[in-house]
Amino acid sequence: MATKTGATKKNERVFYRRNGCRVCGSKDLAKYFDFGDMPFANSFLKSEHDEEIRAPLQVMYCNNCSNSQLSVVVNPKYLFSSYLYHSSVSETFNVHCSGLAEYAISLFGRRNLKCLDIGSNDGTLLKQFKRRDCEVIGLDPAANICEQANRDGIRTVCAFWGKDGASQIVEKSGKQDIVTATNVFAHVDDAHGFVSSVLDVLSDEGVFIVEVPYAREMVRKKEFDTIYHEHLSYFLVNPLDRLFSMHGMRICNISEFDIHGGSLRISVIKGSNSSIKINKEIVDHYTSLERKEGLNTIKPYMKMAVEVEQLKKKFLAKLKELKSKGMRIAGYGASAKGNVFLNYCGLDRDDIEFIVDDTKQKQGLLYPGTRIPVVLSSWIMEKKPDYILILAWNFTQEIMKKTEDFSKRGGKYIIAIPELKII
Ligand code: TMP
Ligand code: ZN
């Protein structure tokens, strides 16, 4: 196996170690998770001979502001240049985007709004805004995905978000009423630069809506598999409130969604914006809830790390038992989470024969680390495994519905997180 561990590739830095907190700058950071060197969760391999790059995967807690972040930052080039994640594959996400567009527009007493989506992927969210008479523009660093979005009629700039991207947006489309960033803010190293660039494009009466996985949910549901190199930060409301305040911005609303295992939707406005009402109660509710649950101490995070180790032991014991009975197991959903899970458990294709995924671009590739092949979902009916391990557990219902024929002929499902379950 051509595995490369270390900080350089062709004399280029693959990752660097981050010593200060991304939010408050404090160096008082304590480690609570250490997965060792892990391959990049979305870097699928084309063949057995492909070079596989690894980097340390460790999570640090900031004793000053309660933000969690990875100990290293991988050069984004290795993670995002050809992204295989297509958000439109999931119907659940489409429905979520429709709700987000409705909500954002409802904050204004008018239509024909200008909307920018940062990290717009294949334009799934912007299509929902466009359908509601908004003028839309997207920005995404993955060239393959930008091309597709542009072909589909969603104007998309291919760039990383920052000062340059922001000026391209203003040049092409002017200041924006609604700026969205769903599932991208936790991916950026320079969170302050990100917000500062949002201020460059946001109109004075506009709203910035950011959605991030909620670290409180990660801890509560032991979603350790959401920890991977793309996810640099694991946010709570407290550090986010602090971060936005540092830019003269104010959180005006917070809501929670099940998407991606439990996410926060935080709406933020410029301090001078009096046209959108601030829901102070909801901000106070979350900040005090987090304190009440001790999330401003390292304790719950350490506890989670211990429980995750137990969960792995239980899962591996069950797997051994099933294998000893001659059971054949396939996976469903070649998600990044699945990759973390399989690598953490040290599995390979002797344990899990193949993984099905409806994303065309992933089919025919190998999962990094475990080298398990990713194939079409029709393999479930053709190869007839006895068990499906649901790796994309956030879409369990949708996946079970899609595989009704499998369960009708006696097939069973394994769900490992937050507790081992056989259905
Ligand atoms: P995610 O959890 O990172 O969103 O990834 C989910 C993966 O599962 C993604 O690769 C798409 C795949 N998937 C299917 O193949 N079929 C489905 O019905 C659903 C919901 C997801
Ligand atoms: Zn901090």
Side-chain angles (χ1 to χ4, degrees), residues 85 89 260 332-335 337 357-359 362 392 394-395 398-399 402:
Y85 181 78
V89 168
H260 300 299
Y332 204 115
S335 57
K337 286 191 278 299
D357 198 290
D358 298 313
T359 316
K362 287 184 185 176
N394 44 329
F395 297 117
E398 202 173 330
I399 289 169
K402 276 194 183 168

Side-chain angles (χ1 to χ4, degrees), residues 5 15-17 31-41 53-60 69-74 79 223-234 336-337 339-341 343-344:
T5 302
F15 64 85
Y16 84 91
R17 221 162 254 289
K31 186 162 69 186
Y32 62 86
F33 250 123
D34 193 345
F35 293 93
D37 283 346
M38 282 278 244
F40 305 147
I53 311 166
R54 290 177 180 244
L57 190 62
Q58 304 162 328
V59 195
M60 317 294 286
Q69 65 182 35
L70 295 189
S71 64
V72 304
V73 176
V74 174
L79 302 176
E223 294 163 350
F224 70 93
D225 57 347
T226 59
I227 297 167
Y228 45 89
H229 296 103
E230 280 96 327
H231 293 170
L232 295 176
S233 305
Y234 301 83
K337 286 191 278 299
N339 188 25
V340 174
F341 179 79
N343 274 297
Y344 175 64

Side-chain angles (χ1 to χ4, degrees), residues 21 24 62 65:
C21 169
C24 73
C62 173
C65 78

Side-chain angles (χ1 to χ4, degrees), residues 108-341:
F108 298 80
R110 60 191 170 92
R111 289 178 97 85
N112 300 318
L113 298 156
K114 284 191 179 186
C115 313
L116 161 69
D117 187 27
I118 302 170
S120 50
N121 200 280
D122 57 12
T124 307
L125 173 58
L126 288 176
K127 282 176 194 160
Q128 295 294 340
F129 279 109
K130 197 174 172 184
R131 193 175 286 170
R132 291 166 175 84
D133 305 325
C134 293
E135 183 189 319
V136 303
I137 188 159
L139 177 137
D140 200 281
N144 58 331
I145 282 172
C146 290
E147 270 170 34
Q148 191 194 319
N150 279 309
R151 265 200 310 271
D152 290 351
I154 300 295
R155 194 161 48 137
T156 307
V157 173
C158 189
F160 281 102
W161 182 241
K163 292 285 164 192
D164 262 10
S167 63
Q168 282 191 61
I169 296 294
V170 174
E171 204 175 286
K172 285 188 165 64
S173 165
K175 295 259 181 174
Q176 305 292 312
D177 302 302
I178 298 169
V179 177
T180 50
T182 65
N183 225 15
V184 59
F185 195 47
H187 296 52
V188 299
D189 186 20
D190 182 9
H192 285 285
F194 190 102
V195 175
S196 158
S197 299
V198 167
L199 284 170
D200 291 350
V201 297
L202 191 67
S203 72
D204 286 345
E205 307 212 317
V207 64
F208 172 44
I209 302 175
V210 59
E211 291 191 354
V212 287
Y214 193 11
R216 175 173 177 256
E217 290 300 285
M218 175 181 82
V219 171
R220 213 166 59 81
K221 301 194 228 144
K222 293 176 232 166
E223 294 163 350
F224 70 93
D225 57 347
T226 59
I227 297 167
Y228 45 89
H229 296 103
E230 280 96 327
H231 293 170
L232 295 176
S233 305
Y234 301 83
F235 285 121
L236 294 172
V237 172
N238 271 299
L240 280 175
D241 190 32
R242 182 176 186 137
L243 192 151
F244 291 124
S245 303
M246 288 162 88
H247 294 269
M249 296 183 88
R250 297 187 66 187
I251 297 180
C252 64
N253 202 5
I254 301 174
S255 37
E256 261 187 89
F257 295 87
D258 285 340
I259 199 112
H260 300 299
S263 295
L264 284 173
R265 175 184 295 165
I266 303 206
S267 307
V268 200
I269 54 176
K270 290 185 179 176
S272 56
N273 184 349
S274 56
S275 64
I276 295 176
K277 192 178 156 286
I278 291 177
N279 185 344
K280 193 172 172 318
E281 294 78 42
I282 197 88
V283 181
D284 291 345
H285 165 77
Y286 276 99
T287 49
S288 53
L289 181 72
E290 288 171 5
R291 277 193 285 269
K292 205 172 85 197
E293 292 179 357
L295 290 162
N296 56 340
T297 71
I298 199 170
K299 261 197 207 146
Y301 307 91
M302 293 298 251
K303 181 166 167 272
M304 170 192 171
V306 172
E307 287 169 353
V308 163
E309 203 44 45
Q310 288 163 351
L311 196 142
K312 168 178 159 178
K313 281 196 185 121
K314 256 195 201 163
F315 171 77
L316 289 176
K318 187 73 192 173
L319 195 70
K320 202 169 160 194
E321 177 201 318
L322 293 176
K323 292 305 259 187
S324 72
K325 290 180 184 159
M327 295 291 131
R328 292 171 46 232
I329 304 163
Y332 204 115
S335 57
K337 286 191 278 299
N339 188 25
V340 174
F341 179 79

